[in-house]
Amino acid sequence: METKPRISFFEPLSPTQQLYESLRYISTGQNDFFQEGRQLIHLNGGSEALMRHFRNQGMSGLLGFNHSFIERCTTCSNLTITSGVNRGTVGSHTCYGESNVPIFRCPLCRRRYSARHATALWDVRINEKDYCRIAKALAEGVGIRTTARIFDVDKDTVSRCALQAGIHCQFVDSILMHHLHLEECQMDEMWSFVYKKQHHLEPFEQLQNDIGDIWLHVAFEPRMKILIAVVPGKRTLENLRKLTQAVHCKSDGHVPLFTTDEYYSYLDALLWEYGQLARVDREGLVGRPSEYSYLIPKHGLKYAKVKKTRNSGRIEAIETEISIGTKGKVKQIIDQSPCSKTTNISFVERSNLHERLNNRRLTRKTLGFSKAMHMHEAQIWLSMGYYHFVRPHFSLTITPDDGVNLIQRTPAMAAGVTDHIWSLKELLTFPNCYHG
């Protein structure tokens, strides 16, 4: 059944979103998302440079590119594969430091640089093993001060480690976690706060978007146990649009079955990304054509809601409603699912519980909450990177042909992104080849 969106759906876009849509129109020629008199941004001939920048940042799905990762020298602008020298002694100037870190040389510009350059270990003063152990403790849910006491370092050192590791994990996620084949996508919001809770904010502080109640808008794939996207911010329609846009960018083009709770803004966000513009035909006498338009879902979009009836905070009844699509198509997807038996959001809610248990900043009623938004986001990305690449998931374990040794897998292995379980050092030293 087609449902007309709310009027609030036609809110003006931010300048960044207008830039994305302009580049997307130039690259693909798809102009079905320009509505209500919106116009292209004049880029003054800089579209190619901007496309190259977004492609290098891993936004290939947004602009329709097939590849987003290339190797280049980290000290010059020439595209090439850097060549390295053999590991040797410190006296031969091929390695340095207590860990004998190798030094590489660019074959074009002949500059030398450390193997730690463009990794999370760059410009780190502490021991490499201690750095990885600190990052692992933070990813497992240990607090900043507790980690500092365990490893006998200053708490500011631990904070810098968390920030650098989180930024690097965000880069790895943008590069590797794309072109995913999604069959189911469950979306939900998880409450958290930064600096103060919302009802404790002063009138002036309530105008700021980076403190107070911060909701984590989560998109989860239950078959591969992947956190497709996490958008921290206020509980607004704009952040839900960012969430659905991130899901669309990271998918391989296949439209999954979307399942959410009864929050009304999800329908608007899904139609914004997976809908098309339709106009109302004029009825009656011939005259000026009608300018009223609304969004309708594209072919293949399926969306179901899970409505929960509560009494004094306790759930009494659960009902499901199919907002977009037919019951037959939804039932076919559920019957073919290896995990879902009914239309539900249980898996994304279980993922939220996992995040609260393994992320100190999301644990309720503790002093481990975030005091700044950038540290809040860094810890979220560090937990996501550790969850996707390093920590095996129990439900993804498979039995080999011999039936003796069980094969453990991470969500990244289940998605076909990697072929083995990464160590934390491997995650933190993944080369950022677009680092200047």
Side-chain angles (χ1 to χ4, degrees):
M1 179 179 179
E2 298 178 356
T3 306
K4 295 183 179 180
R6 292 156 44 88
I7 300 300
S8 61
F9 192 86
F10 296 104
E11 296 173 351
L13 292 179
S14 64
T16 303
Q17 289 175 313
Q18 291 181 359
L19 175 62
Y20 285 170
E21 292 188 353
S22 300
L23 291 175
R24 186 172 170 185
Y25 171 72
I26 294 173
S27 176
T28 62
Q30 300 176 0
N31 59 350
D32 54 344
F33 39 74
F34 288 101
Q35 307 158 14
E36 295 293 309
R38 297 192 183 105
Q39 299 178 356
L40 288 172
I41 297 179
H42 295 285
L43 303 177
N44 297 324
S47 60
E48 290 295 331
L50 288 172
M51 287 183 188
R52 192 181 307 111
H53 167 72
F54 289 125
R55 178 176 55 191
N56 291 348
Q57 296 300 323
M59 301 181 183
S60 59
L62 181 66
L63 303 178
F65 294 100
N66 295 326
H67 303 284
S68 61
F69 185 79
I70 54 177
E71 293 185 349
R72 74 173 176 89
C73 175
T74 57
T75 56
C76 70
S77 59
N78 297 314
L79 298 179
T80 182
I81 299 178
T82 56
S83 61
V85 295
N86 296 328
R87 184 184 297 268
T89 61
V90 178
S92 62
H93 301 287
T94 57
C95 299
Y96 74 96
E98 298 179 357
S99 303
N100 288 333
V101 180
I103 298 176
F104 293 89
R105 183 186 296 274
C106 176
L108 297 181
C109 65
R110 308 304 297 173
R111 293 183 180 178
R112 297 195 307 169
Y113 58 92
S114 168
R116 288 184 175 180
H117 187 68
T119 68
L121 299 178
W122 175 247
D123 199 20
V124 172
R125 298 292 187 267
I126 63 176
N127 185 272
E128 182 178 298
K129 292 183 178 180
D130 291 341
Y131 184 91
C132 293
R133 289 170 181 170
I134 290 173
K136 188 172 185 178
L138 295 174
E140 287 286 355
V142 184
I144 295 289
R145 297 178 183 272
T146 306
T147 303
R149 290 192 295 267
I150 292 175
F151 297 99
D152 197 18
V153 295
D154 190 77
K155 62 181 180 63
D156 293 338
T157 302
V158 179
S159 298
R160 286 193 297 268
C161 172
L163 181 60
Q164 292 178 351
I167 294 174
H168 192 79
C169 289
Q170 183 181 13
F171 163 77
V172 175
D173 183 271
S174 65
I175 290 298
L176 298 181
M177 303 298 289
H178 58 80
H179 291 82
L180 304 173
H181 183 72
L182 309 177
E183 291 290 344
E184 300 178 57
C185 180
Q186 299 182 2
M187 296 190 292
D188 195 15
E189 322 90 50
M190 179 169 55
W191 174 84
S192 63
F193 71 96
V194 172
Y195 185 61
K196 292 181 182 179
K197 292 183 180 179
Q198 192 70 29
H199 59 276
H200 290 160
L201 294 179
E202 300 294 334
F204 178 75
E205 294 176 337
Q206 294 181 1
L207 302 176
Q208 305 181 41
N209 293 327
D210 55 351
I211 60 175
D213 290 351
I214 300 296
W215 294 80
L216 303 185
H217 305 83
V218 181
F220 186 77
E221 213 288 343
R223 302 191 181 194
M224 298 180 292
K225 304 297 184 292
I226 283 182
L227 285 166
I228 308 171
V230 176
V231 178
K234 297 297 183 180
R235 199 183 187 190
T236 60
L237 177 59
E238 182 181 0
N239 287 326
L240 287 182
R241 291 175 183 173
K242 293 179 181 179
L243 183 68
T244 54
Q245 186 181 49
V247 173
H248 195 185
C249 293
K250 291 189 175 183
S251 66
D252 59 355
H254 182 266
V255 182
L257 168 63
F258 290 96
T259 310
T260 69
D261 54 13
E262 60 268 27
Y263 187 39
Y264 58 85
S265 295
Y266 279 112
L267 179 60
D268 294 344
L270 287 174
L271 289 177
W272 179 262
E273 189 64 28
Y274 293 94
Q276 57 186 358
L277 189 64
R279 296 188 179 276
V280 177
D281 295 333
R282 178 180 176 85
E283 297 180 357
L285 300 177
V286 178
R288 184 176 180 179
S290 175
E291 296 182 354
Y292 176 73
S293 60
Y294 59 96
L295 288 173
I296 60 175
K298 292 183 179 179
H299 177 71
L301 179 60
K302 299 169 288 294
Y303 171 49
K305 291 182 180 179
V306 177
K307 296 184 177 181
K308 299 180 181 180
T309 303
R310 294 179 173 86
N311 185 10
S312 300
R314 294 184 176 272
I315 299 176
E316 290 187 341
I318 298 178
E319 301 177 355
T320 59
E321 175 187 343
I322 299 177
S323 300
I324 302 176
T326 61
K327 292 184 179 179
K329 292 183 179 179
V330 174
K331 185 177 183 303
Q332 181 182 2
I333 296 176
I334 297 298
D335 293 341
Q336 295 176 354
S337 175
C339 52
S340 298
K341 303 302 179 183
T342 58
T343 304
N344 65 90
I345 55 173
S346 301
F347 294 97
V348 66
E349 291 177 341
R350 179 61 181 84
S351 175
N352 293 342
L353 174 61
H354 172 85
E355 289 299 316
R356 289 203 182 276
L357 293 176
N358 293 274
N359 190 336
R360 183 65 171 174
R361 298 172 185 269
L362 300 180
T363 306
R364 292 179 180 270
K365 298 183 179 180
T366 66
L367 296 178
F369 61 91
S370 298
K371 283 71 178 176
M373 186 63 181
H374 67 278
M375 294 299 300
H376 194 66
E377 295 179 349
Q379 180 63 40
I380 293 171
W381 283 110
L382 175 59
S383 300
M384 284 182 58
Y386 183 79
Y387 169 78
H388 281 154
F389 296 95
V390 180
R391 181 172 177 172
H393 202 287
F394 176 77
S395 64
L396 297 177
T397 303
I398 58 176
T399 304
D401 296 335
D402 55 10
V404 179
N405 297 322
L406 298 179
I407 300 177
Q408 293 184 333
R409 297 189 301 168
T410 60
M413 294 175 62
V417 176
T418 61
D419 58 355
H420 66 283
I421 300 175
W422 284 18
S423 64
L424 189 60
K425 180 181 178 181
E426 188 174 2
L427 174 63
L428 297 179
T429 56
F430 186 86
N432 185 348
C433 293
Y434 310 108
H435 180 82

